[in-house]
Amino acid sequence: MRILIVLVRLAWRYLWRNHRRTIIMLGAIVLGTWAMIFMTALTRGMVDQMIADGISAIPGHVQVHGQGYLDDPSVTRSIPLSDEEFAARFADAGFSAWATRVRVPAVITSERESRGVTLLGIDPAAERDFSFVDYGAVDGRFLESPEDSGIVIGAKLADTLETRVGKRVVLMSQDPDNDIADRGFRVVGVFEANMQAFEEGFVFVGKATAQKMLRMGTATTEAVFVGDDYRNVEPVYDKVAAGVGDAVTVSRWTEVDTYLGTMLKTMDGFVLVWMIVIFLALSFGLVNTLVMAVFERVREIGLMLALGMKPAMILGQIIIESMMLLALGLLIGTALAWASIVPLEGGIDLSAVGEGMEMWGASSVLYPKLYLEDVVLANVVVLVLGFFASLSPAWRASRYEPVEAITKVG
Amino acid sequence: MTAVRCIDICKTYTQGDVDIKALDHLSIEIEKGEFVCLMSPSGGGKTTLLNAIGGLDIPDSGEVWVGGQRIDQMSKGELAELRLANIGFVFQAYNLIPVLTARENVEFVMQVQGVRPAERHVKSMVLLEEVGLEGLEDRLPAEMSGGQQQRVAVARAIVSRPELVLADEPTANLDSHTAADLMELFVQLNEHHQTTFVIATHDQGVMRYAKRLVRMRDGRIVDDVQQNAA
Amino acid sequence: MNIVLRLAWRNIWRQPRRTWLTTGAMVFSNILLVFMISLQFGMYGLMINNTLQVFSGHMQVQAPGYVDDAKMRQVVDDVQPLAAHLREALGSDTVAARARAFALASSEDRTYGIAIYGVEPRHEPRVSNLPGLVEHGRYLQDDDAYEIVIGSVLARNLQVATGDELTLLGSGVDGSFAAAVVVVAGIFESGVKDIDRNIAQMPLTAFQDMFYMNGAGHQVVILAPSLADAPELQARVEALVGADDGLVVQDWDALQPGLRQAIQADMSSAFFMYGILVVLVAFSVLNTQLMSVLERTHEFGVVMALGMKPGLLGRIVLLESALMGLLGFVLGVIAGTALTAWLSVRGFTMPGMDEMAAQFNLPARIYPPVTLLSVAIGPFVVFVFTLLASVYPAWRLRRLHPVEAMRVN
Ligand SMILES: Nc1ncnc2c1ncn2[C@@H]1O[C@H](COP(=O)(O)OP(=O)(O)OP(=O)(O)O)[C@@H](O)[C@H]1O
Ligand SMILES: [Mg+2]
């Protein structure tokens, strides 16, 4: 411990002996740290938003379907469990939210146009908390009950159909006997969503109304369950799987939306790779700085050895010096990253490339997300790898023979 | 009691294809409390001998004993500990750690030894005063003259009361007046604390203070006389 | 060799380790840049080509506003004669007419909403590679046959095979009820789920008949020989179908607005990363050169006292950086190109890439092409920054006084 204090003081003083070099290196570390954390926050923000959008759009965290529904999304593949059975099993299971719904492909027709859409027959109260539609912000009104006879469609769809609140549209789909099931609806609300694809692709009607139209009794085609953390859906999955039995398919959102699932994993990998790349770019400068720092004080190292310092202390001194430099850079860099992310948390407007972001599956407003884990990861990556990078110059410094070091000229 | 004993030590450097015998079957014995001056023409082997005694360099053959311990077979770590505890060094130049102040330089060895701060502080202040540097404690080496720096180095070499002080041309960078002051200091320490001194020098002025004068040439002792110090 | 050059060269090798570490940073970044930029350019090219060739073509003649709304009644009148006219006038056969509608398709057991395209069976294969992707059965043949080709996912969902019948139900251009029974002639598989699930094609004449189109369609699709030829071709098409016909020519950017923006979004994040990398290298060079200048202050003082001008010293320092930069450039380009060339033969892939790639009509294994631009651009920028970074150390020399300089040791 006392040796440590000696070494820390020496290292600190040496660090500032050549303040220009230290400041330049510090600048590089600060920039690198900032870039690591800033970029990670942007990436996290984007992926979070994508997944939040994606999950709220459809999958929830865990889904239950009738056998074969995922491959053949038809009313004939409804879930062989009634709403009462679901309620009996899951009402007190502690999920953040859950709901059963009717979800089938359909065609919507106005007097002008037709489009293919996904019909969602929902219980509006049950889905309020995880729907991508903000009920309160709907032009007109959102559905009020499962028996609501109206329909709520997206703004973009309303545009192409040349319809609006108060006008009528017709939905067509099939019933379980493959007869055409159709019904006229009055448009009661028009919603806006982060993604144009949602506005074009989804229409909401009351669950009971949908069941009546599709002549499917009280059956549903999908049950969705939402837990606390989209990254860890296993607890929800296990509970649901245990509750519903074998007659149905239970899937995690990563399985239903494989693109999003892969995206999440890939981005986790990307974040780490990015940090390591930045570190490697820094490491050349770091090693260089240490080599120079050792080189210009070979004689002093010899002196310390002659005075009775053990080689291990020299090694420690150089490593401490390097760690101090890194820690200082990390501190400033992290603070800077934080300071530059906080003002952006209200969202960065990317609507200039909005449709491109949508191709990536992301919305056109990017909310950077600073996670403590990422800050820690960046710091740990730099410190740990920095430690290994300093080993070689520090080792060399400790291997000097005192006589040679002292008599070294120049 | 014997402070230093070298038995038949050899050290050969190879320069190109020429072998240089820096130490050539040299033997010497130095008693505790002696004040020895090593003299030789340049290249005579003084530095090599001091380094061998201080454990900075290991001779090719022969034995080196310091304070009753044989040191030529010790590990680096043991040697470091020996130097830390028993030997004080003063070199010709570049004696101080440039990022530490005068006082910190003096305290450095004690700090590594683990002496408590209060004790360290008192001891270093006393010694700095003794070498005539009161008031300059907080200066960095770059802010002191060569003689002042050399005195700090001396203070550091003796602060932990080593039994043996090895000095390699300590006066080479000093004017004759400052050099004389430094030698007075050595003599005084030698007499007060029974510290053994081995000093390598070319300087006639320094030799006058020696109680024992050892002349070397080509790695051998050619003359070894006791004399009455000036 | 020029004495200044020789001096600079000797100088950088006075501290070989430092020089190698500095060029090492450049080489590392350059390898990364060459590889990443080649991969990126390769991917963008593929994204554009695959997306355009699957379906939308390089440009389309449409009614104004159709590109945004795609409404049934935003028609191009007499679409087949127009296409024929364009084929002749352009001397090109990569021109085809289309029409589009949404309908409910029912098989024995299933009903789904789909997008139906009316196409010219003889010309469609020239502008789109969907016809070539028919896996079962055959592509359309006769202009007025009531037959249809559908995607593989749709076939599975509808539970139909070639030869089965589908009932189509929709609304005609005038809003009236439109219905027909068609035979599944073929099933294609593009690998893009959305296309395989949602799209069907039937002969244009039959389509016009069924939807009461009265000879009209919605688009004339034109494929250029390559993306680079598209603008010139578009100018010729525009000369042929002016605004007085009530038609517009939409380029690929307008047809697939997401595509360019996806590329732009990806590029800006990539360039941000490259920028950071380059600046980090610059820091490294700045550090090295400043140190090497400071170290030599005394020496510089001596040569200045001997009569060397500070300007020349500055030039030497810049030259030293240039030499290091050049070394980093050459080694980086060689190694980066070797890596990329190897991957352009072996193909690059990574875990999860098939899922990601499918989103952008890309294959799961990418063969990044090695082009002069993609190889040289990154290292060139690094080189420029290397020089910029040594301007400050070189500039400091101008203020050097020989006497003061010699006092430094
Ligand atoms: N590291 C070395 N490599 C080669 N030869 C050496 C080395 N160190 C010392 N020598 C040689 O060994 C001999 C003795 O050197 P040493 O340094 O001990 O002499 P010295 O008496 O201290 O001389 P000076 O008065 O000049 O300091 C000299 O000939 C010297 O050239
Ligand atoms: Mg000597």
Side-chain angles (χ1 to χ4, degrees):
Chain A
M1 190 57 211
R2 51 165 218 272
I3 301 281
L4 202 64
I5 294 171
V6 180
L7 296 183
V8 164
R9 179 161 63 192
L10 273 176
W12 180 253
R13 296 264 179 93
Y14 269 119
L15 211 49
W16 296 108
R17 181 152 76 144
N18 202 327
H19 61 274
R20 267 195 210 86
R21 184 174 61 209
T22 300
I23 286 171
I24 293 174
M25 192 57 218
L26 213 52
I29 299 171
V30 167
L31 177 71
T33 311
W34 174 81
M36 281 182 192
I37 297 177
F38 189 74
M39 190 74 192
T40 303
L42 292 188
T43 309
R44 293 286 192 226
M46 187 175 105
V47 174
D48 274 11
Q49 188 68 36
M50 278 168 70
I51 288 169
D53 284 347
I55 291 177
S56 67
I58 303 312
H61 291 175
V62 169
Q63 294 195 334
V64 173
H65 294 110
Q67 296 281 12
Y69 175 89
L70 285 175
D71 219 27
D72 177 23
S74 148
V75 267
T76 57
R77 309 238 179 221
S78 58
I79 303 176
L81 289 172
S82 67
D83 278 7
E84 288 71 36
E85 286 171 288
F86 270 110
R89 288 171 206 186
F90 298 117
D92 306 316
F95 298 122
S96 301
W98 69 275
T100 58
R101 28 157 92 158
V102 175
R103 176 199 168 108
V104 287
V107 167
I108 186 169
T109 309
S110 67
E111 61 261 39
R112 292 284 191 191
E113 279 291 323
S114 308
R115 283 294 182 274
V117 292
T118 298
L119 178 162
L120 295 171
I122 62 166
D123 174 356
E127 305 205 0
R128 176 178 276 274
D129 292 337
F130 63 93
S131 174
F132 65 92
V133 175
D134 178 355
Y135 291 7
V138 167
D139 171 23
R141 64 166 175 87
F142 198 70
L143 302 174
E144 282 162 349
S145 71
E147 290 79 26
D148 201 313
S149 61
I151 187 170
V152 175
I153 65 176
K156 178 71 188 165
L157 184 63
D159 254 14
T160 34
L161 294 180
E162 295 180 49
T163 187
R164 59 190 142 78
V165 174
K167 291 196 140 192
R168 291 184 68 80
V169 293
V170 175
L171 273 185
M172 286 189 286
S173 188
Q174 71 164 125
D175 70 9
D177 302 322
N178 198 30
D179 289 326
I180 299 292
D182 59 351
R183 180 187 163 120
F185 288 86
R186 187 172 301 283
V187 178
V188 296
V190 173
F191 68 82
E192 289 189 4
N194 280 335
M195 303 242 230
Q196 200 177 315
F198 295 177
E199 287 185 10
E200 284 176 331
F202 295 112
V203 301
F204 294 94
V205 302
K207 182 160 75 178
T209 313
Q211 286 164 335
K212 210 188 297 166
M213 161 187 161
L214 298 168
R215 295 184 279 275
M216 57 195 295
T218 58
T220 53
T221 62
E222 180 169 282
V224 296
F225 297 85
V226 183
D228 301 322
D229 179 8
Y230 71 79
R231 282 172 182 272
N232 179 19
V233 297
E234 289 313 308
V236 179
Y237 180 86
D238 293 342
K239 240 190 264 180
V240 172
V244 292
D246 294 338
V248 294
T249 317
V250 183
S251 15
R252 302 163 184 87
W253 68 267
T254 45
E255 295 159 330
V256 177
D257 193 331
T258 43
Y259 171 68
L260 276 185
T262 318
M263 190 75 179
L264 180 64
K265 266 191 230 131
T266 309
M267 283 305 168
D268 279 348
F270 162 79
V271 162
L272 191 63
V273 168
W274 167 240
M275 287 179 178
I276 291 176
V277 163
I278 290 278
F279 175 81
L280 287 178
L282 275 179
S283 68
F284 290 94
L286 178 69
V287 173
N288 211 349
T289 300
L290 291 179
V291 166
M292 284 193 254
V294 169
F295 188 76
E296 70 191 11
R297 72 170 104 122
V298 171
R299 253 195 244 104
E300 288 138 55
I301 290 171
L303 175 67
M304 290 182 208
L305 286 168
L307 290 177
M309 254 195 162
K310 293 198 178 121
M313 296 185 209
I314 305 287
L315 184 92
Q317 188 196 323
I318 305 292
I319 287 179
I320 290 172
E321 203 170 318
S322 153
M323 293 287 115
M324 270 180 171
L325 183 64
L326 290 173
L328 200 62
L330 282 170
L331 200 73
I332 303 175
T334 304
L336 216 59
W338 181 78
S340 58
I341 289 167
V342 167
L344 294 177
E345 268 175 352
I348 306 167
D349 183 17
L350 298 178
S351 45
V353 289
E355 291 174 72
M357 296 303 287
E358 192 151 322
M359 258 184 109
W360 287 99
S363 67
S364 59
V365 182
L366 178 52
Y367 302 93
K369 248 327 196 349
L370 189 62
Y371 282 106
L372 185 63
E373 292 100 290
D374 292 329
V375 173
V376 171
L377 182 67
N379 280 270
V380 167
V381 163
V382 171
L383 285 178
V384 170
L385 296 184
F387 174 80
F388 287 109
S390 347
L391 273 182
S392 148
W395 176 255
R396 276 161 181 276
S398 71
R399 288 300 98 180
Y400 280 116
E401 289 296 330
V403 192
E404 285 165 25
I406 288 175
T407 51
K408 178 179 180 301
V409 277
Chain B
M1 196 189 145
T2 313
V4 177
R5 175 185 291 150
C6 298
I7 306 170
D8 205 32
I9 54 176
C10 291
K11 178 85 192 176
T12 309
Y13 290 108
T14 313
Q15 199 110 70
D17 31 86
V18 191
D19 280 355
I20 300 167
K21 289 187 174 166
L23 294 175
D24 188 5
H25 296 282
L26 180 143
S27 296
I28 187 171
E29 225 168 279
I30 298 170
E31 292 300 314
K32 183 164 167 52
E34 274 197 284
F35 196 103
V36 183
C37 256
L38 295 177
M39 292 275 307
S40 83
S42 186
K46 306 180 294 289
T47 300
T48 311
L49 179 57
L50 282 186
N51 287 345
I53 297 172
L56 292 179
D57 213 351
I58 312 288
D60 302 333
S61 65
E63 296 173 18
V64 182
W65 296 72
V66 173
Q69 286 177 284
R70 180 160 178 192
I71 68 163
D72 52 295
Q73 284 164 348
M74 282 185 177
S75 71
K76 274 192 178 175
E78 289 171 317
L79 285 172
E81 258 159 42
L82 174 84
R83 285 198 294 272
L84 194 60
N86 302 330
I87 305 177
F89 267 105
V90 183
F91 300 100
Q92 176 178 337
Y94 308 114
N95 245 322
L96 302 181
I97 299 169
V99 295
L100 299 181
T101 63
R103 188 162 56 76
E104 287 167 343
N105 261 288
V106 175
E107 286 188 25
F108 180 75
V109 172
M110 288 190 285
Q111 219 173 348
V112 177
Q113 284 172 338
V115 178
R116 273 179 296 111
E119 185 183 344
R120 234 163 47 202
H121 191 77
V122 172
K123 276 192 174 173
S124 62
M125 291 309 269
V126 167
L127 258 175
L128 281 170
E129 202 181 312
E130 212 169 304
V131 298
L133 287 178
E134 64 265 53
L136 302 185
E137 304 87 4
D138 294 324
R139 294 221 188 153
L140 287 172
E143 301 160 349
M144 289 186 284
S145 74
Q148 289 166 337
Q149 288 186 33
Q150 211 55 340
R151 278 184 275 165
V152 176
V154 171
R156 184 188 55 203
I158 60 184
V159 70
S160 51
R161 297 273 173 262
E163 289 147 28
L164 175 63
V165 173
L166 304 174
D168 192 359
E169 317 213 21
T171 60
N173 283 342
L174 307 181
D175 64 79
S176 59
H177 186 72
T178 324
D181 283 352
L182 187 66
M183 290 315 293
E184 297 281 3
L185 181 66
F186 278 1
V187 171
Q188 201 188 338
L189 289 168
N190 171 250
E191 282 166 2
H192 283 185
H193 305 295
Q194 287 298 297
T195 309
T196 314
F197 277 80
V198 184
I199 302 167
T201 187
H202 297 287
D203 189 339
Q204 298 291 331
V206 170
M207 278 175 255
R208 291 191 298 128
Y209 294 89
K211 294 171 185 159
R212 176 176 169 194
L213 200 57
V214 177
R215 289 182 192 276
M216 298 174 62
R217 179 180 297 256
D218 299 332
R220 268 171 300 202
I221 294 177
V222 292
D223 190 25
D224 187 348
V225 294
Q226 300 285 338
Q227 67 174 23
N228 284 330
Chain C
M1 199 174 17
N2 178 323
I3 177 77
V4 178
L5 193 61
R6 191 173 344 181
L7 211 60
W9 181 253
R10 295 249 173 95
N11 279 341
I12 65 173
W13 294 113
R14 289 215 284 202
Q15 296 263 18
R17 187 140 46 126
R18 187 162 69 193
T19 298
W20 280 124
L21 280 168
T22 313
T23 43
M26 297 178 199
V27 172
F28 170 76
S29 309
N30 285 346
I31 292 176
L32 219 61
L33 288 176
V34 169
F35 164 67
M36 292 297 293
I37 292 176
S38 299
L39 190 67
Q40 235 183 319
F41 283 11
M43 247 163 53
Y44 295 160
L46 280 178
M47 257 163 85
I48 295 174
N49 279 335
N50 289 5
T51 310
L52 299 187
Q53 278 165 11
V54 166
F55 213 55
S56 63
H58 287 114
M59 66 202 79
Q60 292 184 4
V61 180
Q62 302 177 342
Y66 183 82
V67 71
D68 293 321
D69 305 326
K71 285 175 188 160
M72 192 73 177
R73 67 195 146 79
Q74 293 167 321
V75 295
V76 176
D77 287 324
D78 300 320
V79 73
Q80 287 106 323
L82 175 64
H85 169 62
L86 285 176
R87 268 192 290 275
E88 192 169 334
L90 298 171
S92 154
D93 53 4
T94 55
V95 179
R98 281 186 200 151
R100 186 179 85 151
F102 283 91
L104 212 53
S106 302
S107 64
E108 196 90 339
D109 303 312
R110 292 287 183 269
T111 299
Y112 283 101
I114 57 173
I116 300 182
Y117 283 80
V119 300
E120 298 180 288
R122 273 186 304 127
H123 300 294
E124 183 67 16
R126 307 263 181 207
V127 297
S128 151
N129 52 21
L130 269 193
L133 297 171
V134 170
E135 298 272 312
H136 301 284
R138 56 164 175 80
Y139 191 62
L140 307 171
Q141 277 172 347
D142 296 325
D143 270 340
D144 51 2
Y146 272 77
E147 55 184 18
I148 195 167
V149 290
I150 60 178
S152 55
V153 178
L154 185 60
R156 204 166 68 226
N157 285 346
L158 286 170
Q159 303 177 351
V160 291
T162 51
D164 292 349
E165 283 187 345
L166 286 179
T167 307
L168 301 180
L169 221 62
S171 345
V173 71
D174 53 359
S176 58
F177 180 76
V181 175
V182 292
V183 176
V184 177
I187 296 170
F188 62 82
E189 181 152 13
S190 70
V192 182
K193 267 199 197 129
D194 275 348
I195 290 181
D196 290 346
R197 195 199 327 269
N198 290 323
I199 286 183
Q201 296 189 344
M202 63 187 283
L204 183 54
T205 309
F207 180 102
Q208 287 166 330
D209 202 26
M210 170 182 169
F211 290 97
Y212 312 112
M213 298 294 292
N214 204 5
H218 292 115
Q219 35 185 263
V220 177
V221 184
I222 302 162
L223 195 68
S226 79
L227 192 60
D229 300 318
E232 192 238 347
L233 187 62
Q234 183 169 354
R236 289 174 58 201
V237 175
E238 270 163 355
L240 291 168
V241 284
D244 35 324
D245 301 318
L247 296 174
V248 290
V249 185
Q250 304 286 6
D251 62 8
W252 66 270
D253 194 18
L255 296 172
Q256 297 277 350
L259 193 57
R260 174 176 301 217
Q261 293 178 4
I263 291 174
Q264 274 171 353
D266 185 62
M267 265 218 243
S268 33
S269 82
F271 284 166
F272 171 78
M273 297 193 278
Y274 301 159
I276 296 288
L277 217 55
V278 171
V279 173
L280 286 180
V281 174
F283 265 110
S284 193
V285 174
L286 173 63
N287 206 352
T288 302
Q289 284 305 71
L290 193 61
M291 284 312 109
S292 103
V293 165
L294 289 176
E295 252 168 37
R296 289 182 281 170
T297 305
H298 180 79
E299 181 186 325
F300 285 157
V302 174
V303 290
M304 274 165 79
L306 293 177
M308 201 186 245
K309 295 211 181 66
L312 184 58
L313 285 179
R315 278 224 297 287
I316 292 180
V317 170
L318 281 180
L319 201 56
E320 287 169 18
S321 303
L323 286 173
M324 277 197 281
L326 213 58
L327 197 63
F329 183 93
V330 170
L331 294 180
V333 166
I334 290 175
T337 308
L339 175 70
T340 312
W342 180 63
L343 286 174
S344 74
V345 175
R346 213 189 128 267
F348 171 81
T349 187
M350 59 181 189
M353 189 135 131
D354 37 355
E355 291 288 344
M356 303 277 290
Q359 184 90 354
F360 300 98
N361 300 337
L362 290 177
R365 191 174 274 275
I366 288 178
Y367 300 85
V370 180
T371 66
L372 187 64
L373 185 69
S374 68
V375 160
I377 180 93
F380 177 74
V381 173
V382 169
F383 182 74
V384 170
F385 270 77
T386 301
L387 287 187
L388 284 182
S390 48
V391 166
Y392 171 68
W395 174 79
R396 275 180 65 90
L397 290 175
R398 300 200 157 267
R399 300 182 313 174
L400 205 64
H401 270 279
V403 181
E404 282 168 26
M406 282 192 292
R407 271 224 299 274
V408 179
N409 69 347

